[in-house]
Structure formats: C-alpha cells, structure tokens
Amino acid sequence: MTNIYPPKRILMGPGPSDVHPRVLQAMAMPTIGHLDPVFQRMMDQSKDYLRALFKTENSLTFPISAPGSAGMEACFVNLLEAGDTAIVVRHGVFGDRMRENVIRCGANVIVVDAVWGTAPDMALVEDALKANPHASVLAFVHAETSTGVEADAGALCGLAQKYNCLSIVDMVTSLGGIPVDVDGWGADAVYSGSQKCLSCPPGLSPVSFSEKALNRIRSRKTPVQSWFLDLSLVMNYWDGEGGRSYHHTAPVNAMYGLNEALAMHMEEGTDNVHARHRLMHTALVAGLEAMGLSMLVDASCRLPQLNVVTVPEGVDEGAVRAHLLAHYGLEIGAGLGPLAGKVWRIGLMGEAARASNITVCLSALGEALNLQQHSADTGAALSAAQAVLAG
Ligand SMILES: *Cc1c(COP(=O)(O)O)cnc(C)c1O
C-alpha cells in the first residue's frame, strides 16, 4: 500500500489559508483528556483571546467543534422557532445559505437582495424591517467570500436594534482580516471559522452570543431541534458554572492549533494584523491593474482578504488556475453561482497575506495569461506591487 501525502501549497483561495508551522506544531502536542484541568485552562485562554478578537465581553464566546457552517446553523436553530420571521440580507452564496437555515427552522424568511458584487442597500433593509414588524431576527454576512464585498455591519446591527430584532452576523471571513466590533455594533449572535483569516486548519467555528440572545434562547417554547448545537446543553461544557461536564469529546488537538493561532494574532496585535491585510491587498490590486486586469468590486466596499478579479474575454479561467496549481503549487479560487467562470477569487487571508505571496501570484498569473496568448505585463505588475510594499 502506498499512502497519500499532501503536497506543499500556497493557499490564496477563499479558505483554507496558509497555516503557520507554529500552529501545526501545537497540533502535534500530546493529546490529553478534554476534561483535564490543563485543557480546561487552555479553553479559558482561548475564550479570552476570542473575546479580544471579537471585541466583546460576552460570557458565551467559544469555538464550536465543527466548521463555520455549524456556527451558522447554531445561530439560526437557537434563535428561531417554527412560525418566527427572519429577514435575511443576501448578497452572495452565504446569504443564501442563511435563507435555507431559516426555512429549515420552520420560520418565515424575507429576503433582501443585493446584486452580487455590490454592498447591501440600507434603505431596502429598513423598508423590509418596517414592512415586517413581527420579524425577530435580521441576518447578514459581514464579509461575503463569494463576491469580495464588505457589508456595513455597524449600520445593519443598528437597524436590527431600531426595529427590535436580534442580529445574526456571519464573521467567517471577516474575523482576523478586518475590524469587527461585536459589542460596539450590538451584534447578538456571531460566528466565524478557523481556516480563513485566523489561519488555522478548518474544523472549528468561534461563536459569541449576547445577553439578549441568551434571553431569547431561555424563553423558547420548544427545544432546539439539533441536540449537538443546542446551546443550553453545550454551555455546560464551555461555560459550566462550578465545573464542566461532558457534552461531546472536544477535538483537543484542533483546539491546541486554534489557541496557538490566536496567541500569534495577539502577539502581532490586532491593528497590525489588519494593517498587513490592507497593505498586501493594496499591493496585489496595484499589480493586477498594472497587468491590465480589473477588480469586480468597487473600492468603497472591497474586502482586503478576498480579491475578486474579472476574467478577461477569451481566457479559459480553469486552465489558468490549473497552471498555477501544477507549476507553482498556488491555489486561487473560482467564481461561485452567477460568477462561476467569470472571476477568480484571490485570498489574502491570515498567513497568506505576505509580500512573497503577492510576487509569486502576480508572476504566475502573468505567465498563465501569456500562455493563452493574452498579453499581460508581469514586469509592470511586479513594479507596481513593489512600489506599494516599499511604502
Ligand atoms: C467559508 C465560509 C462559511 C462556511 O464555513 P465552513 O468552515 O466552510 O463551513 C460561511 N460563511 C462564509 C462567509 C464563509 O466564507
């Protein structure tokens, strides 16, 4: 039998992102019991780190033992009951998944659409809130990984409060890449993922719930339909007063990795991490534009960590991605839904947001385009990017 081993890649897609060796080393430490006092101390430390990253004092802040999609589902199944109404802002793939979650809770969904690649329109959201006074939840994606657009999370959470709704905010791609402010915005239920800007392997979903959200859960008339994601049960493990009790076996080594990634974030400093993402994004965009490529999203709402580039007329986008992977071990993402075949998604998430990656990406992309008889000036692209990086 020959076993299969992963090759070395540069991960500049929509996630997972590059993982620092320190995080991988932490995950190779000895497995201990998930109720071991040392592990419990680490759980407390991770919770403190997450509170600092989310900018919240919320007591119920912890990583769910499953990927970002489970964090999303936890928010919906706990805050909604059959017959409730939720308003979902949909500006990409993940907003549509929110809509599906509402329906599966047996609740009514009102969708407010934005054209993919543009930011949600606050006036349309406010109209929907006015027209549906019984709605109890407003849900939206802060950083839409499918389109590269940032929604105005502060304004949307403000609207939710004004119309007496709890807010559910997807921070999977925003946390660790751009500023988030859970308490400042008054966000009620938020979830993220380990493998995007936190630069950890996939499989964990940090979440945080406000006191208002917990009161909603306490006053439910029906039990949460998901046993695993029922927060009233999970809480006894993550937030147990006077001792934690068994709920499920936490993925101990995965938690080592998350704790190390969070520690590295704290060492670098949140503001510095955000500034690094912003600088790498500016350099990448300068290079792409110097090469004659154009960005899908207007500069006013572009995400630095997820860059959506329009595929030029006549270029086979799949062949370009295949060339980058085969010759440079470089992964970039394809378009999703209505953007499939029309764009590339270049991630600059966490550890991937480094100057060396910008250089490799621009030169490999230039080469792949030239191979398809599409002229792209790689030299001009590298000079433009370097001018930004040199400050
Ligand atoms: C990746 C992603 C998710 C889903 O996370 P998984 O870890 O893949 O389950 C949800 N929302 C957004 C915005 C994402 O980018």
Side-chain angles (χ1 to χ4, degrees):
M1 292 278 281
T2 26
N3 215 348
I4 296 174
Y5 294 97
K8 174 87 186 88
R9 301 283 197 218
I10 301 169
L11 299 179
M12 296 180 75
S17 58
D18 284 341
V19 178
H20 193 278
R22 257 178 71 181
V23 172
L24 295 173
Q25 265 157 23
M27 294 175 76
M29 308 261 246
T31 303
I32 60 177
H34 69 120
L35 292 169
D36 186 304
V38 176
F39 187 64
Q40 297 205 27
R41 287 209 333 261
M42 185 189 279
M43 290 165 77
D44 287 336
Q45 187 173 49
S46 291
K47 287 167 62 173
D48 285 342
Y49 289 152
L50 285 174
R51 284 191 196 101
L53 257 73
F54 276 128
K55 282 196 148 190
T56 183
E57 305 281 319
N58 287 343
S59 164
L60 194 63
T61 303
F62 68 99
I64 287 185
S65 306
S69 305
M72 180 188 287
E73 189 143 351
C75 292
F76 286 93
V77 297
N78 281 278
L79 295 190
L80 287 175
E81 291 185 79
D84 288 349
T85 297
I87 297 175
V88 171
V89 180
R90 176 171 61 180
H91 60 116
V93 163
F94 295 101
D96 195 54
R97 287 195 183 174
M98 288 179 143
R99 180 191 61 83
E100 281 192 45
N101 268 273
V102 174
I103 291 169
R104 283 172 192 237
C105 292
N108 308 308
V109 66
I110 310 290
V111 176
V112 181
D113 272 312
V115 174
W116 287 36
T118 69
D121 181 336
M122 295 304 141
L124 291 181
V125 176
E126 184 152 17
D127 287 348
L129 286 159
K130 275 189 195 146
N132 296 280
H134 299 299
S136 59
V137 161
L138 175 70
F140 65 93
V141 177
H142 181 206
E144 240 310 345
T145 324
S146 60
T147 65
V149 167
E150 177 178 4
D152 186 340
L156 287 166
C157 289
L159 280 178
Q161 278 163 336
K162 181 170 169 196
Y163 291 90
N164 216 10
C165 282
L166 295 178
S167 48
I168 296 180
V169 188
D170 180 315
M171 296 186 174
V172 175
T173 285
S174 52
L175 189 70
I178 50 175
V180 305
D181 189 357
V182 168
D183 287 0
W185 295 340
D188 292 299
V190 305
Y191 58 93
S192 189
S194 49
Q195 79 279 27
K196 311 263 168 129
C197 294
L198 300 180
S199 258
C200 217
L204 293 173
S205 178
V207 294
S208 185
F209 293 85
S210 72
E211 199 49 44
K212 256 163 67 189
L214 295 186
N215 284 337
R216 172 74 52 85
I217 296 168
R218 288 184 194 111
S219 62
R220 286 180 66 100
K221 294 178 212 75
T222 53
V224 172
Q225 68 263 34
S226 163
W227 180 87
F228 185 67
L229 295 173
D230 182 344
L231 286 175
S232 60
L233 304 175
V234 184
M235 259 184 249
N236 295 328
Y237 179 56
W238 274 99
D239 219 23
E241 304 260 326
R244 295 185 159 109
S245 58
Y246 171 64
H247 175 263
H248 65 277
T249 311
V252 169
N253 292 58
M255 301 285 193
Y256 298 166
L258 180 64
N259 200 56
E260 190 70 13
L262 295 172
M264 289 183 67
H265 182 105
M266 305 311 288
E267 284 167 19
E268 186 175 352
T270 298
D271 291 346
N272 295 334
V273 174
H274 295 157
R276 173 164 56 78
H277 281 87
R278 178 69 50 195
L279 177 67
M280 295 306 148
H281 160 75
T282 309
L284 179 70
V285 171
L288 292 168
E289 289 180 342
M291 198 184 274
L293 297 172
S294 55
M295 307 298 292
L296 177 81
V297 176
D298 188 74
S300 60
C301 59
R302 254 179 223 164
L303 289 170
Q305 65 273 49
L306 201 281
N307 298 271
V308 182
V309 187
T310 307
V311 177
E313 199 77 34
V315 168
D316 175 347
E317 73 84 21
V320 168
R321 283 186 293 111
H323 182 81
L324 302 193
L325 194 67
H327 296 271
Y328 294 91
L330 171 62
E331 179 180 283
I332 65 170
L336 292 179
L339 296 176
K342 299 192 179 134
V343 298
W344 293 296
R345 292 182 300 150
I346 305 181
L348 289 171
M349 298 185 181
E351 277 305 307
R354 300 281 172 201
S356 54
N357 284 356
I358 307 286
T359 307
V360 173
C361 181
L362 289 172
S363 58
L365 199 53
E367 180 183 290
L369 287 169
N370 289 332
L371 279 170
Q372 290 195 33
Q373 325 313 326
H374 180 90
S375 82
D377 188 342
T378 307
L382 290 173
S383 305
Q386 280 155 10
V388 172
L389 293 170

